Amino acid sequence: MWNEFSHAFLVIFTSLLPVINPPGAALMVLGLLPHASPAQRNRVARGVALNSLVMLAVSIGIGAWVLSFFGISIPVLRLAGGMVIAATGWRLLNAPAQQERTTLAGAAEAEARQGFDASIESQTFYPFTLPLTVGPGAIAVAIAVGTTSPAKGPEAVHVAAAGCALVVLCALIYFCMRYAGRLQSLLGRTGMQVMLRLLAFVILCIGVQIGWYGLSELLGRPAA
């Protein structure tokens, strides 16, 4: 039983970890929230981790059935997800530079006027969780892992291994996003502006790459 548990745990964890890339996802979310407070980042990290856990569990459990029910193929999923990510990167790349808030009191007043907290809460699922953290690639991998269950159905040990693997993975997502803000204090204002532009370009490239994978599969050509 222990061998089956450890094998299933390692297969699921090692398959999803490089695709999700928690440190990379944390930096991309940081690029969208350069002026968020530690408390706000904590709420975002907690929300993204919980949303990721639910999405991955659903993808492993019934993802293949859902896509089949709606007639959606994996290449179409990748193409659509890539377009969304690319659009997010393009918007960030062309956004005007944000000015630093000089005092905590001024920041609190500005956030109260603009409803900054409500805006962050509304973005916890989209785009912070989907597609920046759990994108079409991660969903495709999770569905593929879920379809490798035994023909007689998943056993209790496999369900327990999948649950443990997802909990550990989502805990990594939480910690990476929760403490990514420390990078901001190390880089300073100018460094953060440079980092945000680079992150925006990387997000754009990731979206184009994922979309190209999907389009290549639809056209029947191998992706370069």
Side-chain angles (χ1 to χ4, degrees):
M1 178 179 291
W2 172 249
N3 289 335
E4 293 181 3
F5 177 89
S6 59
H7 175 73
F9 177 91
L10 290 175
V11 167
I12 296 174
F13 184 79
T14 56
S15 297
L16 290 172
L17 181 62
V19 181
I20 294 177
N21 187 13
L27 289 177
M28 287 190 287
V29 172
L30 177 64
L32 295 174
L33 298 174
H35 301 299
S37 66
Q40 291 165 339
R41 288 199 181 95
N42 184 43
R43 290 196 294 272
V44 169
R46 184 170 60 248
V48 171
L50 291 176
N51 290 337
S52 300
L53 180 62
V54 173
M55 286 190 61
L56 292 173
V58 171
S59 298
I60 290 178
I62 61 173
W65 180 84
V66 171
L67 291 183
S68 176
F69 179 81
F70 288 102
I72 302 173
S73 64
I74 296 297
V76 171
L77 178 70
R78 288 176 176 167
L79 179 59
M83 293 172 62
V84 172
I85 297 175
T88 301
W90 180 258
R91 185 174 66 251
L92 289 174
L93 194 61
N94 291 276
Q98 298 181 352
Q99 297 180 350
E100 291 286 343
R101 297 184 175 91
T102 56
T103 63
L104 292 177
E109 292 176 0
E111 289 166 9
R113 290 194 303 267
Q114 299 173 7
F116 193 50
D117 285 335
S119 176
I120 290 179
E121 292 295 332
S122 66
Q123 298 179 75
T124 300
F125 179 77
Y126 175 83
F128 298 157
T129 303
L130 178 73
L132 293 182
T133 303
V134 180
I139 293 176
V141 171
I143 292 174
V145 172
T147 57
T148 58
S149 301
K152 60 183 179 181
E155 300 178 356
V157 64
H158 298 145
V159 174
C164 291
L166 295 183
V167 167
V168 173
L169 184 61
C170 292
L172 287 176
I173 293 174
Y174 170 79
F175 283 111
C176 289
M177 290 193 177
R178 174 65 181 85
Y179 297 105
R182 294 188 177 182
L183 181 63
Q184 182 177 3
S185 61
L186 294 176
L187 293 176
R189 179 178 178 180
T190 302
M192 275 305 301
Q193 291 297 333
V194 174
M195 178 63 72
L196 292 180
R197 297 302 177 183
L198 290 176
L199 285 175
F201 184 70
V202 169
I203 293 172
L204 175 62
C205 292
I206 290 174
V208 172
Q209 184 68 59
I210 293 175
W212 172 245
Y213 280 142
L215 183 60
S216 299
E217 293 180 8
L218 289 174
L219 297 176
R221 299 179 181 177

